[in-house]
Amino acid sequence: MDEKLIEKNRELVERRLDKGLEIIKKRFEVEEIPIRDALNNFTLDGRTYSAFQYDIKEIGNMYYMKSTNKDDFMMDTMIFTPYYKHLPVFSTDYLYMVDKRNVLHELYDLVDEEYITDTYKEYVKKFNDNLKRYDYVENKPPHNPWYEYLRSFYLAKLPTPEQDEDMYVAFEENMNLFLDMAEATPLIETKEEYEKKWKQNKWYSDSLLERAGIATQVFLDNVGQDFTDNFFEECFFAPGTYKDKFNN
């Protein structure tokens, strides 16, 4: 295996959390949420993962996990699950398999129709318009999960190592666009409205567990039902963590 490329892959994973936090902290207050030991430093298919969780004031939960202990497969995932505003879930994944890459950015409209405003639609359009800038990067073949109808934006690429920095630019651009959208969206004002948003996130988290797609099944096969249930509830989408956080 190409040792220089393996080291580059490791550096790419290691720097993304710092870059993400740097971008966020320019605009929003961020507080780390301690993850209990039982839900951190877990192993899936021989790959160990470490994780970090944050509360972004005026947005909601951010969860980040990474794995770099296997030379032939490194990855990191960063997912934002808004609770304080009617915003979509924003998810990003970067996988490095020596000279192969897999990059995924998604928006999921876990928002009631009455809160899909013109501003909301305008920002979703900006995400999709930006896709055209990366037409030269190979597309990942589409798959059709049950939740596809919720997905209003989908960047799925198979870049070459020479395109790594381009994909980092895409991350920074989409992160900033998501934060622009957050700044343009008013805070949820009532407990009833907060509960409505919370229920959307809870429904999605529970549905992923119940339907056990490819990624969820990896957790179930490796760490079992109890861990996976608690992981989704407390950390990944974190409805349990945010159940009573209105006006917090």
Side-chain angles (χ1 to χ4, degrees):
M1 285 192 282
D2 187 329
E3 294 299 327
K4 287 186 178 179
L5 190 53
I6 290 168
E7 187 55 34
K8 179 191 180 188
N9 294 347
R10 186 170 283 108
E11 289 172 359
L12 287 167
V13 170
E14 295 292 349
R15 87 186 208 202
R16 197 159 77 96
L17 177 60
D18 290 340
K19 174 54 70 175
L21 288 173
E22 176 188 321
I23 293 170
I24 297 163
K25 287 179 177 179
K26 289 177 181 178
R27 308 210 214 176
F28 293 92
E29 183 182 345
V30 178
E31 180 181 350
E32 187 166 2
I33 301 173
I35 299 174
R36 59 190 178 98
D37 291 343
L39 294 178
N40 208 343
N41 300 311
F42 50 89
T43 300
L44 305 175
D45 292 342
R47 300 184 290 273
T48 58
Y49 289 82
S50 56
F52 303 86
Q53 187 176 2
Y54 301 89
D55 177 59
I56 305 174
K57 304 301 179 184
E58 301 186 3
I59 296 179
N61 195 64
M62 170 182 151
Y63 181 79
Y64 175 83
M65 55 186 275
K66 66 178 180 179
S67 178
T68 59
N69 72 304
K70 292 285 189 179
D71 289 349
D72 61 347
F73 186 101
M74 301 182 199
M75 72 162 291
D76 65 321
T77 292
M78 187 180 294
I79 183 166
F80 298 83
T81 306
Y83 284 89
Y84 304 122
K85 295 187 175 187
H86 293 295
L87 294 165
V89 166
F90 175 44
S91 178
T92 66
D93 298 277
Y94 282 71
L95 283 69
Y96 302 93
M97 297 151 283
V98 190
D99 62 339
K100 294 180 172 57
R101 281 92 168 86
N102 190 325
V103 173
L104 185 63
H105 294 188
E106 301 167 292
L107 291 180
Y108 293 102
D109 292 326
L110 299 181
V111 176
D112 279 350
E113 187 64 34
E114 63 185 295
Y115 302 112
I116 303 287
T117 63
D118 288 343
T119 298
Y120 189 105
K121 293 175 183 176
E122 174 190 339
Y123 276 99
V124 171
K125 184 177 184 301
K126 288 180 179 179
F127 273 96
N128 283 292
D129 287 347
N130 203 34
L131 281 174
K132 299 168 188 173
R133 297 189 55 231
Y134 300 99
D135 281 347
Y136 62 92
V137 181
E138 182 182 352
N139 288 319
K140 180 182 178 182
H143 73 296
N144 300 302
W146 67 266
Y147 48 78
E148 185 176 15
Y149 75 99
L150 295 167
R151 193 164 57 192
S152 56
F153 165 74
Y154 183 53
L155 177 151
K157 296 292 185 178
L158 300 172
T160 66
E162 292 73 25
Q163 294 167 335
D164 284 335
E165 291 304 318
D166 295 6
M167 291 295 94
Y168 249 84
V169 169
F171 166 66
E172 293 182 29
E173 288 175 342
N174 286 329
M175 172 76 79
N176 278 303
L177 195 52
F178 178 72
L179 297 178
D180 288 345
M181 187 179 187
E183 288 183 333
T185 302
L187 281 167
I188 289 172
E189 294 184 345
T190 68
K191 185 176 181 180
E192 291 74 22
E193 199 176 335
Y194 180 88
E195 288 175 350
K196 189 178 290 187
K197 175 62 173 161
W198 178 85
K199 285 178 181 177
Q200 287 277 25
N201 294 338
K202 172 69 170 169
W203 166 82
Y204 183 65
S205 180
D206 289 350
S207 295
L208 288 173
L209 289 168
E210 291 166 5
R211 303 192 186 200
I214 295 172
T216 306
Q217 194 63 50
V218 171
F219 277 89
L220 292 171
D221 291 343
N222 282 268
V223 292
Q225 188 76 53
D226 286 346
F227 178 100
T228 306
D229 288 348
N230 290 326
F231 168 72
F232 275 59
E233 183 74 6
E234 295 181 31
C235 305
F236 203 41
F237 299 100
T241 300
Y242 282 83
K243 182 170 175 52
D244 300 309
K245 279 206 168 186
F246 177 66
N247 274 341
N248 240 15

